[in-house]
């Protein structure tokens, strides 16, 4: 039934293609799909979703490197073998004309047609260009092989993408040119990514996205850099510190260029302890309500570190910032040195008033936890915007632009925004929501883990976790419940390493670091199971929402409902 | 049973008193209570609460003028008659010695004993002084009549207070002195309070606390001053604008004194549209979970006005504020000209960085909605602290003190703070929580009213309300549900008067004014009843909590759970 419906829906596209191709790709693709009907039902569902009116936006998110992509690298070899079998299977049912690379290369525009090759097949994707979730970028692949692009955007390595591609097949690449293509080794843009600590839980390998085990988080106020969650949008760029240059644009003094040495010596070194959190932290809880687009983060896409560097304010003043600038400029844009194949860099912006405020504490950081920034965290220079969502803390910083406008980057305009639970990919208007900057109040239970078993003989249970709020709002209280939220007790807050004196209270509006918390409570005598819940309060008395569903949003960001874990109590058998 | 328990508990106090008084007040009071057992069960419950370990804190809140007091003035005459009957009834059971006023007046200290008179009775309250919720202030009444104090602190006009007093009776005032006392008219400290608009719903008459009907609120972006909610803590002080003087202390330049004229002419006039909200707005919803201490505000202890005046920042700079001051000072304290009988003024403070920030927009306002401040709103000068809880927006401003310390006032230290739902009056430690400054995200439905009936023939229902967040955080979205929170739609936001162009977007962090919102939706065909819910989101993506119970707190402040109203749908009979 499902298969029939698919073939039916594809015939809508069929005539359009046949006019151009003189073959019947709809038939071919249905044939191909007859083969692929043995794939998992999950694949079928995701294919259906992808072909619904919402697939375009959905894929846009995925393409941006923020999607729940296959762990391309890990499974690369196996996937390659499977792809070849699949492509061969797709081809069995029809004979295609043979094209030379030269003929393919002559189709590089909408006027001449847009052709690409993939594993020896030739595809005319002219009609698809307008539908491509990643937009015009697809034209960069025109006339050539898709493989290097798909190595960068691993999201494409999915069954339904291959199925879509098969609809556009028009021929096969000559054996000679295919051989030539294969000799040009596809270089892996992620080949210079650094080694990572194996304890990290990898949500995506390329680009690298990983979080530490939650129980590690609450063991130290400062997260060791190796365990600090990693969230890259693109390959880690190798940067030579000797030739590194930071450009500052958009100010009356013209472009200011600073070497790493100048950044370190011309400006006072300022140190800030600040927590960074990914907008997608705790996304997995939203997925339980209804599937969202994005990496399936657990509760540990948040960490706390000490950052040192020049104050952005000081650098902007040196570059000519003054009150006159504030009359025309509203934003400070950042561009990373990490690039996609088109040369587009990662980008984001923050409000100008945050950037220039003496109390904003925005850093151009060159140290993390007292050492040079690690490669994964932006070596040699990154922006640290305390109190602000991770995505604006641009790593491998290349350029600063003071502007009347927000960053035009995908990540500022069409990602990292919150929407109503009633908004879906059909109705979403990204212009209607502000880019996430300050994050809302957050807390989670790091131990015990969900599903843990506690011995009755222990009498007490100790619950630990973290709490943090954006915008420099200090966490003033964490309430913990053992009975699903019926009764509450107040946890003890910690704002320093164990055994060390608590750090002095931060000035108002500058509480950038999280608080760890802990509560030890007697096991309720009658309970066989505990539903442990935590909720935090900041000094603006913002509270976390009770439940996930009413804050669900299609990108799965801003997941900050009460955190809940269920723990079983094992009765002491000797007592029975 | 209840009565027996009361008498039993009172015998604990009995011996203490009998030693001093040579009468048996416990027996007397139980006799009195036998009579009063006909009072309502609500009175009995509140009496019980008051005599539990928590009564002291409870009464402290009440005494501060923030309690759920009887509308003294309205019911004054009736209450006076009842009191007389009650006092007579209390006296029937024993013969007391007669004292002259001179003898009473000789007992004005803990050493000599503290005696007071009330309606002809003489009371030795020496032992009670340490237990008085209002503290040492009670000594001001020593040797004289309680009546003028109780006129000011109308909270005392309650059954259980009279019962407590009766325990301390030691005699009766001579008929001659009683007559003299009565000829000295008790002046009403509220006699110079202004006239108010009768549409206001009065939560407390003295001090005056009232809110407009909710449906008025959402009819205009700017709330007319007459309808703006009124929250006084003390009598409105009559201030002569010609002799008015504002003192600024704690700065290197010594004390700066400014006349009203100087304030208006020496500093630029600055205008801000800002919403003020009482910390107790929507307290009535918390009362439904469990009784709290405080005025039973509905959803309209919030209003929006245009305020004009000198910037506090400018005045502080003129008074000698500079960076050196920021090294030692952290707070700016305000004292009102409104006083209690002891001469203690209303007081509050705000963080120094808010006060001096160019973006803080703190005003010493002398105009509201384009006219002189009305008496109820602080004529001639009040502080307007945009984004901050109403209680810090001190009215009838007399003094500004730059200080290392917060205001020591009751309202800063022991009131207007939030606590865990698990914290009660036995366990509360007011030092453990920060004074409320910025308020959390808030919204409510102003129309339809809870319990309203909508005709099926109308086909659509229009829901209106307000939304606001503290700290200058802009409301970016309001979600409305007609099915109790299962599905949501996005409301239309309005930030100007109907028919006028929307005000330009405020600079980041300076969204001081609320947004009104509206949504029109078809009546669901099957529904017989709608549970309409609203929840707002600010640009830090803070959300309102789902339910009231988990944010319940003993003072009933910060009530910002989703607002819910239930509406019945009346079917069109002609269709049946």
């Amino acid at each position: 039934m499902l298969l029939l419906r698919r073939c039916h829906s594809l015939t809508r596209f069929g005539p359009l293609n046949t006019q151009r191709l003189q073959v019947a790709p709809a038939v071919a693709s249905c044939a191909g799909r007859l083969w692929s009907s043995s794939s998992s039902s999950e694949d079928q569902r995701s294919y259906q979703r992808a072909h619904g009116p919402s697939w375009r936006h959905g894929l846009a998110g995925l393409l941006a490197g923020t999607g729940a992509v296959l762990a391309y690298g890990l499974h690369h070899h196996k996937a390659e073998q499977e792809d070849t079998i699949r492509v061969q299977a797709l081809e069995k049912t029809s004979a295609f004309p043979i094209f030379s690379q030269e003929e393919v290369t002559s189709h590089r525009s909408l006027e001449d047609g847009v052709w690409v090759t993939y594993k020896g097949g030739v595809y005319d994707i002219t009609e698809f260009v307008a539908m491509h979730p990643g937009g015009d970028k697809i034209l960069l692949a025109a006339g050539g092989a898709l493989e290097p692009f798909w190595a960068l955007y691993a999201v494409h390595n999915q069954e339904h993408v291959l199925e879509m591609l098969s609809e556009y097949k028009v021929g096969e690449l000559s054996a000679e040119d295919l051989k030539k293509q294969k000799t040009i080794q596809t270089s892996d843009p992620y080949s210079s990514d650094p080694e990572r600590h194996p304890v990290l839980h990898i949500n995506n390998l390329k680009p690298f996205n990983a979080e530490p085990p939650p129980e590690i988080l609450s063991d130290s106020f400062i997260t060791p850099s190796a365990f600090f969650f990693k969230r890259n949008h693109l390959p880690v760029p190798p940067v030579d510190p000797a030739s590194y240059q930071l450009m500052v644009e958009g100010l009356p003094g013209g472009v200011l260029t600073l070497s790493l040495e100048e950044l370190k010596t011309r400006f006072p070194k300022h140190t800030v302890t600040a927590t960074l959190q990914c907008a997608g932290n705790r996304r997995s809880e939203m997925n339980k309500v209804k599937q969202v687009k994005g990496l399936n983060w657990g509760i540990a896409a948040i960490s706390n570190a000490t950052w040192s560097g020049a104050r952005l304010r000081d650098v902007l003043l040196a570059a000519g910032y003054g009150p006159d600038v504030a009359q025309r400029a509203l934003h400070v844009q950042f561009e990373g040195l990490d690039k996609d194949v088109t040369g587009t860099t990662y980008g984001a912006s923050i409000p100008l008033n945050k950037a220039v405020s003496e109390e904003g504490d925005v850093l151009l950081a060159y140290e993390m936890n007292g050492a040079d920034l690690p490669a994964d965290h932006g070596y040699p220079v990154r922006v640290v915007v305390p109190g602000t969502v991770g995505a604006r803390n641009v790593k491998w910083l290349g350029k600063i632009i003071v502007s009347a406008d927000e960053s035009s980057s995908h990540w500022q305009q069409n990602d990292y925004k919150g929407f109503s639970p009633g908004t879906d990919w059909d109705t979403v208007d990204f212009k209607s929501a502000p880019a996430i900057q300050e994050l809302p109040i957050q807390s989670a239970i790091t131990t015990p883990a969900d599903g843990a078993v506690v011995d009755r003989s222990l009498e007490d249970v100790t619950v630990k976790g973290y709490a943090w709020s954006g915008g420099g709002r200090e966490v003033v209280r964490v309430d913990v419940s053992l009975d699903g939220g019926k009764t509450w007790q107040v946890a003890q807050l910690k704002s320093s390493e164990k055994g060390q004196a608590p750090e002095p209270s931060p000035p108002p509006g500058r509480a950038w670091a999280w608080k760890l918390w802990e509560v030890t409570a007697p096991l309720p005598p009658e309970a066989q199971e505990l539903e442990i819940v935590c909720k935090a309060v900041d000094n603006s008395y913002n509270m976390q929402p009770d439940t996930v569903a009413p804050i669900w949003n299609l990108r799965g960001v801003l997941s900050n409902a009460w955190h809940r874990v269920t723990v079983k109590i094992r009765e002491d058998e000797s007592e029975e």
Side-chain angles (χ1 to χ4, degrees), chain A:
Chain A
M1 262 306 287
L2 189 62
L3 189 69
L4 284 177
R5 245 183 297 145
R6 281 184 187 176
C7 287
H8 175 74
S9 73
L10 281 163
T11 54
R12 285 186 293 139
F13 295 94
L16 205 158
N17 290 325
T18 43
Q19 279 168 11
R20 172 179 291 275
L21 309 181
Q22 286 112 34
V23 290
V27 176
S29 75
C30 279
R33 238 162 254 120
L34 273 170
W35 173 84
S36 74
S37 66
S38 63
S39 62
S40 77
S41 63
E42 175 53 34
D43 280 348
Q44 291 177 5
R45 278 198 303 276
S46 80
Y47 178 82
Q48 270 208 311
R49 277 197 303 273
H51 271 66
S54 66
W55 72 271
R56 186 168 177 176
H57 275 110
L59 268 185
L62 294 171
L63 268 176
T66 55
V69 302
L70 295 176
Y72 166 70
L74 270 181
H75 306 292
H76 183 253
H77 184 66
K78 185 161 167 265
E80 197 164 78
Q81 286 178 327
E82 284 173 359
D83 285 356
T84 308
I85 296 166
R86 211 169 296 153
V87 168
Q88 285 166 351
L90 290 169
E91 288 170 6
K92 268 184 196 158
T93 51
S94 62
F96 286 99
I98 307 292
F99 296 109
S100 69
Q101 181 66 55
E102 198 183 347
E103 281 171 299
V104 173
T105 306
S106 69
H107 293 85
R108 301 193 60 189
S109 67
L110 291 170
E111 295 72 35
D112 301 327
V114 177
W115 287 21
V116 294
T117 67
Y118 184 73
K119 295 192 189 297
V122 176
Y123 301 85
D124 178 350
I125 58 167
T126 317
E127 300 295 343
F128 178 72
V129 170
M131 294 185 282
H132 182 232
D136 280 356
K137 274 187 194 173
I138 200 172
L139 289 174
L140 292 163
L146 284 178
E147 283 87 342
F149 291 91
W150 288 13
L152 190 76
Y153 302 118
V155 62
H156 292 87
N157 296 288
Q158 292 192 76
E159 176 71 22
H160 67 263
V161 178
L162 292 172
E163 288 179 353
M164 274 191 274
L165 180 67
S166 70
E167 295 174 34
Y168 299 101
K169 185 157 187 181
V170 291
E172 280 168 24
L173 194 62
S174 71
E176 194 186 348
D177 285 328
L178 180 59
K179 202 175 162 188
K180 274 192 208 160
Q181 232 187 33
K182 281 189 175 169
T183 58
I184 305 164
Q185 261 310 341
T186 305
S187 78
D188 178 0
Y190 293 94
S191 59
S192 62
D193 267 25
E195 289 290 313
R196 281 96 181 196
H197 197 287
V199 79
L200 295 174
H201 173 78
I202 298 172
N203 291 315
N204 191 55
L205 191 64
K206 299 182 180 185
F208 192 71
N209 286 275
E211 62 189 302
E215 62 271 28
I216 284 186
L217 272 187
S218 51
D219 279 344
S220 66
F221 181 68
I222 299 292
T223 315
S225 303
F227 301 152
F228 202 101
F229 82 98
K230 327 253 178 245
R231 201 280 175 256
N232 300 341
H233 294 83
L234 292 163
V236 173
V239 184
D240 173 13
S243 60
Y244 171 81
Q245 285 199 317
L246 173 63
M247 283 191 285
V248 187
E249 300 182 4
L251 289 169
V255 177
L256 174 70
T257 305
L258 294 168
S259 69
L260 183 58
E261 189 58 22
E262 285 172 316
L263 189 70
K264 287 183 177 181
T265 53
R266 277 186 57 183
F267 305 95
K269 182 172 168 181
H270 192 74
T271 297
V272 169
T273 302
T275 297
L276 296 188
Q277 183 183 211
C278 176
N281 190 29
R282 300 182 58 198
R283 179 179 285 130
S284 53
E285 292 160 67
M286 285 201 175
N287 272 329
K288 286 178 194 160
V289 173
K290 199 169 88 177
Q291 189 69 30
V292 299
K293 308 285 185 198
L295 297 171
N296 200 37
W297 292 107
I299 64 165
I302 182 170
S303 305
N304 188 49
T306 299
W307 310 93
S308 301
R311 289 212 287 195
L312 174 59
R313 169 187 161 82
D314 295 339
V315 172
L316 293 180
L317 286 168
Y321 175 80
D324 51 318
V325 176
Q327 300 298 312
R328 56 170 180 80
L330 282 168
H331 305 274
V332 177
Q333 303 176 4
F334 307 114
E335 284 182 12
L337 296 168
D338 45 338
K339 292 175 188 168
D340 64 19
V341 280
T342 72
T344 304
T345 60
Y346 182 78
S349 62
I350 61 170
L352 177 69
N353 68 332
K354 170 73 177 171
V356 299
S357 163
E358 284 192 77
E359 295 173 345
D361 289 325
V362 182
L363 296 188
L364 306 180
Y366 42 76
E367 285 181 16
M368 177 182 189
N369 294 337
D372 284 350
L373 285 182
D376 266 329
H377 295 288
Y379 181 82
V381 177
R382 77 173 299 174
V383 192
V384 172
V385 193
T388 295
V389 63
R392 313 302 170 212
N393 293 252
V394 175
K395 300 193 275 193
W396 314 289
L397 184 66
K399 197 183 276 186
I400 299 169
I401 307 162
V402 177
S403 172
D405 303 311
E406 269 193 317
S407 166
S408 62
S409 89
H410 168 83
W411 299 277
Q412 190 84 16
Q413 298 298 329
N414 296 319
D415 198 354
Y416 295 126
K417 295 186 171 190
F419 294 96
S420 173
T423 300
D424 60 26
W425 290 103
D426 293 337
T427 56
V428 65
D429 171 13
F430 271 93
K431 291 208 189 321
S432 71
I436 300 172
Q437 297 284 353
E438 292 180 358
L439 285 172
I441 178 75
Q442 175 70 288
S443 71
I445 299 159
T446 53
T447 177
D450 193 35
V453 177
V454 178
D455 269 322
R456 167 71 67 195
S457 62
L458 292 177
E459 294 181 0
D460 288 336
V461 59
T462 295
V463 185
K464 294 183 186 183
Y466 65 76
W468 181 74
S469 190
R473 291 180 282 281
E474 185 175 4
V475 169
V476 296
R477 200 181 77 234
V478 173
D479 295 329
V480 177
S481 173
L482 301 185
D483 55 10
K486 288 186 203 80
T487 61
W488 300 90
Q489 44 201 305
V490 177
Q492 198 192 344
L493 302 181
K494 298 180 199 176
S495 56
S496 63
E497 295 297 350
K498 220 170 185 170
Q500 290 182 7
E503 301 210 345
S505 228
R510 295 166 86 176
W512 311 124
W514 66 9
K515 294 203 181 169
L516 301 179
W517 55 263
E518 187 174 327
V519 70
T520 298
L523 290 174
E526 301 301 318
Q528 298 181 308
E529 195 177 82
L530 304 178
E531 190 188 355
I532 310 180
V533 188
C534 73
K535 63 181 173 87
V537 184
D538 68 25
N539 64 353
S540 296
Y541 284 101
N542 279 299
M543 319 269 177
Q544 296 177 246
D546 309 18
T547 57
V548 182
I551 60 165
W552 183 96
N553 59 84
L554 75 189
R555 277 292 281 114
V557 290
L558 306 158
S559 183
N560 74 329
W562 299 354
H563 188 228
R564 298 164 192 263
V565 302
T566 302
V567 169
K568 282 211 173 359
I569 300 177
R570 182 166 41 209
E571 298 299 331
D572 189 352
E573 285 172 16
S574 63
E575 281 184 12
E576 279 174 14

